[in-house]
Amino acid sequence: MLLKLVNDISSIEATLRSNHTLQTLLLDGDIQILMHIDNSTSINSAEDILEAVGREKVIWTQLLSETRAQMAEILGVNHSLYSEIDPLHLPEVLSMVGLRIGQGELYLALKSSIAGVISTVNEKQCIRQQMAYHAAKLEELGTKLAAIEAAEENSNEVNLLRYNDSITVSSAKERSKRQSAIIAKYTAKLELSHSTLTQEYHEAKAAEHAAIAAEQRAKVEELDNKLAAMRNTAAINEDIVFFQSSKRRRT
């Protein structure tokens, strides 16, 4: 039947699983059935999100008592809607009926669900007691778990200390070896640097002495040249004196 296809009210879950995409159906038949089909396809057209369409169908066909009674008769559904609603959810459902449909429908919903509402109070009290019991048990188990973890942590610390003690000597030896190797490496570098610097120092000194010697040789050569010039001048002067003296004797 097409009505069941677009809106199955046999249960809330069935309503939510109904077809929510058909928007227009041109049919002939029973006016009341066609009215409910048209109503369901209109809800399909009014919403874009399928989940929202399902919720609207539950509100306007399942929770609206007159509409549900008519559709239940057509589809052969003979049980109360509120018999399948968890009593813990009844306050929310009743609040939604009052807000979305109206106070008159809320009164009818209360009449249909009053037994569930009363049992909800007792069930809530029972749930609170169970929650308190389980909270106490949870705290007790948490304390035991903390004690076990503390004991394990202490044991791990003791084992770690023993392990550290066992590797302390070997670690010290390894560090000593590494330090000795580093010292030997840098000692060799220092000796090489010292040798290189000593050779460079002597080479520099040798070059400096060679430069001083060359300078001194140049000065000696200069002095020799001056002395030779002075000797030549003295010889010339002697020849002049001798020539003048000879000339005077002849005259």
Side-chain angles (χ1 to χ4, degrees):
M1 182 181 289
L2 286 175
L3 176 57
K4 189 172 183 179
L5 173 68
V6 294
N7 194 356
D8 185 357
I9 65 162
S10 60
S11 68
I12 293 176
E13 185 178 356
T15 302
L16 295 174
R17 288 202 311 262
S18 298
N19 182 283
H20 302 320
T21 57
L22 290 174
Q23 297 182 3
T24 303
L25 289 174
L26 300 178
L27 302 168
D28 293 326
D30 186 278
I31 295 177
Q32 190 177 43
I33 295 175
L34 293 178
M35 180 188 68
H36 289 301
I37 291 175
D38 184 64
N39 181 44
S40 297
T41 54
S42 297
I43 294 174
N44 290 351
S45 303
E47 297 286 346
D48 295 329
I49 302 173
L50 297 183
E51 293 180 357
V53 174
R55 286 195 300 269
E56 290 299 307
K57 284 182 178 179
V58 170
I59 293 170
W60 294 108
T61 60
Q62 290 275 33
L63 297 178
L64 192 60
S65 59
E66 184 177 355
T67 300
R68 187 181 189 282
Q70 293 174 2
M71 294 182 68
E73 183 178 356
I74 295 171
L75 298 175
V77 177
N78 54 14
H79 64 270
S80 170
L81 168 69
Y82 294 98
S83 64
E84 61 177 287
I85 298 177
D86 189 327
L88 292 176
H89 297 156
L90 277 175
E92 296 177 11
V93 174
L94 294 173
S95 174
M96 183 169 59
V97 170
L99 290 173
R100 296 292 303 275
I101 303 176
Q103 297 300 311
E105 196 64 40
L106 174 60
Y107 172 73
L108 295 175
L110 279 169
K111 285 180 60 177
S112 301
S113 61
I114 189 65
V117 173
I118 294 173
S119 68
T120 300
V121 177
N122 296 332
E123 188 170 357
K124 283 184 177 179
Q125 182 63 28
C126 179
I127 290 173
R128 290 193 184 98
Q129 291 175 354
Q130 290 180 355
M131 288 176 63
Y133 169 77
H134 289 299
K137 292 296 290 183
L138 182 62
E139 185 176 358
E140 179 184 351
L141 292 174
T143 302
K144 289 182 179 180
L145 179 61
I148 293 172
E149 289 178 345
E152 289 178 349
E153 185 176 354
N154 291 334
S155 177
N156 290 336
E157 289 179 356
V158 171
N159 292 333
L160 181 60
L161 288 173
R162 289 175 179 173
Y163 174 75
N164 289 338
D165 290 341
S166 66
I167 65 172
T168 298
V169 176
S170 58
S171 297
K173 288 181 179 179
E174 289 297 326
R175 285 196 299 270
S176 178
K177 287 181 180 179
R178 288 197 297 269
Q179 290 173 352
S180 298
I182 292 171
I183 292 172
K185 178 181 177 181
Y186 281 101
T187 300
K189 286 185 177 181
L190 287 173
E191 290 177 352
L192 178 61
S193 299
H194 177 72
S195 176
T196 303
L197 289 173
T198 301
Q199 183 178 355
E200 291 177 352
Y201 172 78
H202 288 300
E203 289 177 353
K205 281 297 183 181
E208 183 181 350
H209 292 161
I212 293 172
E215 183 180 355
Q216 294 300 322
R217 282 196 296 272
K219 287 184 178 181
V220 170
E221 185 176 354
E222 181 182 355
L223 292 174
D224 287 340
N225 290 334
K226 286 182 179 181
L227 182 60
M230 290 174 66
R231 287 175 179 171
N232 289 334
T233 301
I236 292 171
N237 290 333
E238 287 179 358
D239 289 340
I240 293 171
V241 170
F242 177 77
F243 176 76
Q244 289 177 350
S245 181
S246 299
K247 185 177 179 182
R248 280 193 300 268
R249 283 197 300 269
R250 284 194 302 267
T251 58

